[in-house]
Amino acid sequence: MSESSFSRLSHLSVLEAESIHILRETVAEFANPVMLYSIGKDSQVLLHLARKAFHPAPLPFPLLHVDTTWKFRDMYAFRDRFTAQHGFRLLVHQNRKALAEGMNPFDHGSQKYTHAVKTQALLEALAMHGFDAAFGGARRDEEKSRAKERVFSFRDRHGQWEPRRQRPELWNLYNGRIDTGESMRVFPLSNWTELDVWHYILEERIPVVPLYFAAERPVVERSGNLIMVDDERMRLKPGEHPVMKRVRFRTLGCYPLSGAIESSATTVEAVIDEMVNARQSERQGRLIDHDEEGSMELKKREGYF
Amino acid sequence: MDTALQPTRDIQEFLAEHARKELLRLVVVGSVDDGKSTLIGRLLYECDGLFEDQISAVRRATAKRAAANEGATHTSELLARGLQAAASAELPREEEIDFSLFTDGLRAEREQGITIDVAYRYFSTPRRKVIVADTPGHIQYTRNMATGASTADAAVILVDARLGVLPQTRRHAYIASLLGIPYLAVAVNKMDLVDFDRVIFERIGAELAEFARTLGFTQVRLFPVSASKGDNITRASARTPWHEGGTLLGWLESLPHQRRQDEAPFRFPVQYVLRPHLDYRGFAGQIASGTVRVGDEVMVLPSQRRTRVAAIDTFEGSLQEGSAPFSVTLRLADEVDVSRGDVIAHIAQPPRALQRLDAMLVWFGEQPLDGARRYLVKHTSRTVPATLEKILWRKDLENLTEVPAETLSLNDIGKVRLVCKRPLLCDPYQDNRTTGAFIVIDALTHDTVAAGMILGAAESESGAPTGSLVTARERRERLGQRGGVVLLPEAPEAEERAFQLERRLFDQGRHVTVVRGDTEVALTLAETGLIALLHTVAPQARRALRDQLRDAGLGGVELEPSAELDGWVRQVQAAQEKDS
């Protein structure tokens, strides 16, 4: 943050200080933390904050990318370039069994697919490496069940979240006590909104995947969503023909499940401008949120982030 | 909508305004069915804190619910037809939206139509970014109300105009005052259901305001509102021409800036030691209060070593001064022993170091407070074992009197005497909301069982000391070593190798002994300055031991499984040198 804004008690600088506090607290309290890295804008902000928290030391934990193998090609390229450039330790984990059995976003429905290649894969990776705390970039403004989430979110031996049994969380005092096999999800960006995240990206010049900015991309329209045809694995339905449209993404996931929006915003300022004036929430393009009412809550209970 | 955020085409100007916004943390409290969720939904809606798709989802859900309610008295066929109608385009107009649907997010909440857990919502006004804690009104969830109130700068308390002030209203006002919230707004809600009767408003207002003033709020304001109809929330109501107090939103905007803590005494709880290489030793933390400048004379507590601040480091470079609430890294002029849980303060204004103290507790535990049970107190970045020696009184929340008590049960509030294994470096809660606050953790279940607010040192009765009169430093100087636990790797020959290691260390002049299995014994010996070589087959003990060592402020080493005896000796020596 620039000198002028740092000296003031603006809400962004207060949020930054709070997030750094949470990052340091987690590293001090846990034996083996990890940061979930999804390559999205929130991950980039979280990673930037982590660099600030431990500067001049290197990050005291590795990054973990739970890879469904269906991310956009641009995301993989960005991930490899960015992590190599900063020398971050990057772990990539896939649910090999499910993928070997042919699990894909077309045949199995987004529920089953997400459970296998994201939730299951995450739990597998956490168990395999013995991670006892995992940072995530989730924000409370994203979805209603996320608004109920604690900063330190306790998960039982099966990685499950029980909303009725959350630990009360007071002041900035986080209870990091767990037994062997239990773990904590930690959300340093809890109090940030989508606007805060973009504003911070602008002020701090944080690099993000180019897919967030408008460009001509091949898309098909499918039940009201613009789905990008990112590679040859995309299954086109009869009568579907990809057309070039000027689009960008507000949120990035698996490409067959991420809806694009038509846009001409090619800079961070333009993205913010569009967001402030267009009144659609960022997750409306997330197909997995809309399976049924309360679907995010159910996924979270099972261990989804 | 006049004061709400309007979209602007000039994005530079918009961002400049956004960057200037101050953070305000607000808690909204009240009894069940007083309309908290509706009020918050209304605030979000009118301050553009919601998106189109969220709004249309709620419009659909409102229609569906209305159809279902209508159908409930008819046949299932009618219900189906009602649902069909809801699914088609017959969406309700703005004034008919069920605003509570914007906030109740959990399935159990929608099923039961109540708020179970605290939720946090966000909206902006031209001056402020507001974080709203939406808290449950139900008595069994008082703990969640306290959770929301702990960080709040201001509170809104709702009262149903038809029911007036209820015991629960008093409880909530009391908890808000106990947690140090200075500004209170009383929203007398559902005024539309009492025909906006001024007399009713003034009667309720007078009763509650008088009560609230006895609790010591800096400011109490009253608003006649209808959350469902939108009166006096963001828009002044034509139906209350007699009300001159403005709108709730106007009040939120006019509140003094969040309490600045940069004028208070400087407090820096050390969170984490940064040691990327031998030439850099920085103490990372968030400034809890006050301001520090390069060159300031400071004291490290509890050791009371004095030194100067050599640098205040951030990612962007070094600063000449830093203030609360920023997260920074301090470097000190001298090589002093500082670790997590210590506090750095100016020499003239140190915090108190209290081992035996009186505090207010809000009890959250399913099991009542038990004086014989082991609890942990987490205070700033320090966690210490503690016993709850005595309950001085319990607050009767019906009439707010102090009554004798043997224990504290779920949702009870009382004054207790606490004895901590190591001193807390603290201030009274009324002077400092960060260094005066703590949580109590059950050492066995790890549940957070209470929130605590420090009043001060225990009023002395017998004067008998409860802690050892010999300090860890004195032991260290006498024995020439720092007590600690050395954990051997799990192996069939662990015991045999432990004795070999004991022999080697003893021959080098160390005071050392072997302990089998019992971590408590190892810890006790370590506290008296010995090096305890512990071998155990219980994997659970490893994790617990690490926590216990940290709580007791003792050193610990876990030996590498593959290392030879020489390697182990070097590991122990290195740990001793690092700690000395």
Side-chain angles (χ1 to χ4, degrees):
Chain A
M1 194 143 286
S2 68
E3 188 68 35
S4 61
S5 58
F6 213 123
S7 57
R8 298 200 59 264
L9 218 49
S10 78
H11 78 274
L12 273 183
S13 55
V14 174
L15 290 175
E16 180 191 69
E18 179 184 80
S19 299
I20 290 174
H21 172 85
I22 294 163
L23 284 153
R24 288 168 170 172
E25 203 62 12
T26 308
V27 168
E29 294 246 324
F30 290 87
N32 195 15
V34 67
M35 178 172 282
L36 292 208
Y37 182 60
S38 70
I39 328 173
K41 60 185 188 304
D42 302 304
S43 276
Q44 290 301 111
V45 167
L46 189 55
L47 196 46
H48 186 75
L49 289 163
R51 291 173 65 204
K52 289 197 174 194
F54 301 101
H55 173 84
L59 289 192
F61 44 76
L63 308 183
L64 171 66
H65 178 217
V66 175
D67 181 18
T68 62
T69 73
W70 286 93
K71 302 290 168 190
F72 293 86
R73 283 176 297 176
D74 263 4
M75 292 173 75
Y76 292 110
F78 182 91
R79 176 193 76 185
D80 294 340
R81 195 175 59 241
F82 187 75
T83 53
Q85 184 193 338
H86 290 282
F88 298 133
R89 274 187 294 153
L90 174 71
L91 306 170
V92 177
H93 188 86
Q94 300 167 349
N95 183 346
R96 295 234 168 83
K97 195 161 164 280
L99 293 168
E101 285 167 3
M103 184 65 83
N104 68 67
F106 305 111
D107 296 325
H108 300 87
S110 65
Q111 291 256 33
K112 259 191 219 163
Y113 167 79
T114 305
H115 182 76
V117 300
K118 292 178 91 170
T119 307
Q120 281 289 104
L122 170 65
L123 297 179
E124 257 176 35
L126 297 180
M128 191 169 100
H129 296 278
F131 292 126
D132 53 1
F135 291 109
R139 310 185 316 267
R140 289 183 181 136
D141 77 327
E142 281 180 75
E143 204 269 344
K144 285 202 285 187
S145 73
R146 289 221 158 129
K148 304 266 168 181
E149 185 71 88
R150 301 285 192 255
V151 173
F152 269 43
S153 179
F154 176 80
R155 303 297 159 112
D156 66 15
R157 272 162 227 275
H158 310 289
Q160 291 177 350
W161 182 63
E162 178 45 74
R164 278 171 188 268
R165 288 202 53 84
Q166 298 198 84
R167 293 173 177 174
E169 201 162 78
L170 294 105
W171 299 288
N172 61 351
L173 297 170
Y174 304 106
N175 176 355
R177 297 281 153 153
I178 54 170
D179 277 323
T180 309
E182 298 169 342
S183 63
M184 202 68 83
R185 305 287 166 85
V186 180
F187 303 111
L189 301 183
S190 287
N191 286 324
W192 295 58
T193 61
E194 187 189 12
L195 177 58
D196 295 330
V197 163
W198 276 114
H199 197 175
Y200 193 70
I201 286 170
L202 178 70
E203 288 212 6
E204 299 281 310
R205 296 185 176 80
I206 298 170
V208 292
V209 183
L211 291 159
Y212 285 114
F213 305 108
E216 294 281 330
R217 297 186 172 102
V219 292
V220 292
E221 196 176 329
R222 204 172 264 188
S223 30
N225 285 292
L226 292 174
I227 304 298
M228 180 173 162
V229 181
D230 194 49
D231 61 30
E232 67 295 341
R233 294 178 298 171
M234 177 74 183
R235 298 235 193 111
L236 294 176
K237 292 178 180 164
E240 275 184 349
H241 296 288
V243 289
M244 294 303 282
K245 280 198 165 147
R246 205 165 171 73
V247 296
R248 66 178 188 87
F249 295 84
R250 282 180 77 178
T251 167
L252 293 171
C254 294
Y255 83 76
L257 299 176
S258 300
I261 53 167
E262 291 197 72
S263 164
S264 57
T266 55
T267 63
V268 178
E269 284 98 329
V271 165
I272 294 173
D273 194 11
E274 225 175 63
M275 182 179 57
V276 171
N277 292 300
R279 306 295 305 160
Q280 291 282 314
S281 82
E282 62 182 322
R283 294 196 79 91
Q284 53 92 26
R286 272 288 175 110
L287 275 52
I288 60 165
D289 285 7
H290 306 292
D291 302 335
E292 59 173 302
E293 204 181 327
S295 96
M296 173 68 88
E297 181 187 345
L298 293 176
K299 287 190 179 69
K300 279 161 58 64
R301 280 167 175 269
E302 291 169 356
Y304 181 73
F305 241 74
Chain B
M1 200 83 102
D2 45 351
T3 53
L5 179 68
Q6 295 295 334
T8 161
R9 273 288 149 199
D10 187 354
I11 202 65
Q12 297 294 347
E13 190 188 304
F14 171 81
L15 286 174
E17 188 187 278
H18 188 246
R20 279 195 300 270
K21 280 182 186 173
E22 305 154 346
L23 200 60
L24 180 82
R25 296 178 200 251
L26 176 72
V27 62
V28 179
V29 302
S31 295
V32 186
D33 289 334
D34 275 350
K36 287 183 304 299
S37 297
T38 307
L39 177 79
I40 294 168
R42 167 74 69 177
L43 273 171
L44 295 181
Y45 182 80
E46 296 191 355
C47 293
D48 283 356
L50 298 166
F51 293 110
E52 298 288 351
D53 56 314
Q54 293 168 326
I55 293 168
S56 49
V58 163
R59 280 178 191 263
R60 277 196 302 276
T62 302
K64 198 166 153 183
R65 195 179 269 198
N69 285 345
E70 221 168 83
T73 52
H74 299 70
T75 62
S76 56
E77 197 179 313
L78 272 172
L79 171 65
R81 223 184 295 159
L83 287 170
Q84 227 164 20
S88 64
E90 288 174 42
L91 294 177
R93 287 168 299 152
E94 177 185 322
E95 55 271 30
E96 288 160 3
I97 296 175
D98 182 349
F99 287 93
S100 72
L101 294 175
F102 287 117
T103 59
D104 283 343
L106 297 174
R107 286 174 154 242
E109 293 178 326
R110 283 194 300 270
E111 282 157 21
Q112 299 173 40
I114 57 163
T115 310
I116 290 174
D117 204 343
V118 60
Y120 294 89
R121 317 283 170 187
Y122 306 83
F123 68 89
S124 284
T125 75
R127 276 192 60 203
R128 299 229 142 109
K129 167 173 168 161
V130 184
I131 301 179
V132 190
D134 177 9
T135 66
H138 222 265
I139 175 80
Q140 72 188 102
Y141 301 113
T142 298
R143 58 174 184 256
N144 293 324
M145 194 239 129
T147 296
S150 70
T151 51
D153 304 301
V156 173
I157 187 162
L158 275 96
V159 178
D160 187 324
R162 298 166 303 170
L163 305 174
V165 177
L166 299 172
Q168 186 73 336
T169 322
R170 292 173 186 274
R171 267 182 222 128
H172 284 159
Y174 171 69
I175 296 170
S177 75
L178 183 70
L179 282 152
I181 300 173
Y183 305 105
L184 179 72
V186 179
V188 180
N189 192 23
K190 307 194 183 179
M191 285 299 290
D192 52 318
L193 302 182
V194 295
D195 297 326
F196 293 91
D197 186 330
R198 180 181 189 170
V199 176
I200 291 178
F201 171 74
E202 285 177 350
R203 181 165 43 76
I204 294 171
E207 184 184 349
L208 196 59
E210 191 189 342
F211 171 71
R213 272 181 210 110
T214 66
L215 296 175
F217 288 100
T218 307
Q219 187 199 79
V220 178
R221 291 275 295 277
L222 296 166
F223 300 92
V225 307
S226 165
S228 62
K229 303 284 184 275
D231 297 85
N232 292 325
I233 293 171
T234 66
R235 287 172 284 205
S237 172
R239 297 189 278 194
T240 55
W242 39 265
H243 172 64
E244 290 170 352
T247 64
L248 202 55
L249 187 70
W251 176 74
L252 287 176
E253 289 244 274
S254 71
L255 285 178
H257 192 280
Q258 56 185 310
R259 279 154 298 163
R260 303 282 301 236
Q261 286 191 300
D262 45 4
E263 305 284 317
F266 170 61
R267 302 283 182 261
F268 188 78
V270 175
Q271 255 192 304
Y272 189 74
V273 181
L274 285 166
R275 201 144 192 227
H277 49 81
L278 286 176
D279 300 329
Y280 190 96
R281 191 170 157 83
F283 306 105
Q286 184 171 17
I287 302 172
S289 60
T291 299
V292 65
R293 290 174 191 82
V294 173
D296 280 359
E297 262 199 285
V298 292
M299 183 193 278
V300 179
L301 292 121
S303 72
Q304 301 197 333
R305 294 283 179 95
R306 292 173 172 217
T307 180
R308 282 178 188 279
V309 173
I312 303 166
D313 292 342
T314 70
F315 182 78
E316 286 76 17
S318 296
L319 305 172
Q320 277 309 300
E321 70 168 54
S323 295
F326 294 113
S327 286
V328 297
T329 300
L330 299 186
R331 276 184 289 145
L332 303 176
D334 304 289
E335 277 283 325
V336 285
D337 181 15
V338 184
S339 49
R340 175 171 163 85
D342 290 354
V343 170
I344 300 174
H346 285 137
I347 52 167
Q349 296 176 304
R352 300 182 205 183
L354 300 181
Q355 223 164 330
R356 208 154 164 270
L357 51 104
D358 288 348
M360 294 298 298
L361 284 191
V362 183
W363 195 258
F364 303 143
E366 301 287 336
Q367 296 176 35
L369 185 158
D370 178 353
R373 214 172 158 87
R374 234 168 65 87
Y375 294 107
L376 298 166
V377 163
K378 182 165 185 185
H379 170 260
T380 66
S381 52
R382 168 169 280 208
T383 306
V384 297
T387 39
L388 290 157
E389 189 185 75
K390 186 173 180 182
I391 296 156
L392 298 153
W393 46 258
R394 180 177 64 79
K395 199 86 176 174
D396 182 328
L397 291 175
E398 292 299 323
N399 53 24
L400 298 187
T401 55
E402 294 159 12
V403 294
E406 294 295 312
T407 184
L408 294 179
S409 303
L410 183 65
N411 297 320
D412 278 349
I413 295 171
K415 181 175 169 183
V416 300
R417 180 150 306 154
L418 201 67
V419 184
C420 297
K421 197 137 188 177
R422 285 190 297 149
L424 303 185
L425 308 159
C426 60
D427 297 284
Y429 186 77
Q430 64 172 24
D431 296 345
N432 193 319
R433 245 173 131 185
T434 307
T435 56
F438 63 89
I439 56 171
V440 181
I441 299 168
D442 185 308
L444 202 65
T445 64
H446 295 161
D447 288 334
T448 301
V449 291
M453 286 139 280
I454 294 166
L455 296 165
E459 293 149 21
S460 76
E461 293 166 326
S462 63
T466 52
S468 172
L469 297 177
V470 184
T471 67
R473 191 167 141 208
E474 285 174 302
R475 289 184 201 279
R476 199 152 64 207
E477 280 167 5
R478 165 84 51 91
L479 296 174
Q481 68 177 35
R482 183 172 175 189
V485 177
V486 175
L487 184 61
L488 278 87
E490 219 180 314
E493 75 284 16
E495 181 160 26
E496 191 189 329
R497 300 201 67 193
F499 286 125
Q500 291 167 357
L501 181 61
E502 180 189 33
R503 181 77 240 172
R504 290 279 295 274
L505 292 170
F506 184 82
D507 290 345
Q508 291 181 350
R510 305 283 183 190
H511 307 272
V512 59
T513 189
V514 172
V515 178
R516 178 187 188 170
D518 194 330
T519 54
E520 288 289 337
V521 170
L523 280 166
T524 307
L525 292 173
E527 270 171 14
T528 63
L530 292 188
I531 299 171
L533 307 178
L534 175 70
H535 61 90
T536 172
V537 287
Q540 294 270 5
R542 293 175 182 272
R543 181 169 186 107
L545 181 68
R546 195 167 44 231
D547 292 341
Q548 287 167 334
L549 283 167
R550 203 175 46 203
D551 299 341
L554 291 163
V557 194
E558 275 190 61
L559 297 176
E560 309 288 340
S562 59
E564 291 303 304
L565 206 54
D566 282 344
W568 284 2
V569 171
R570 277 198 300 276
Q571 246 189 295
V572 174
Q573 283 170 338
Q576 284 280 318
E577 275 160 29
K578 187 180 134 230
D579 289 339
S580 64

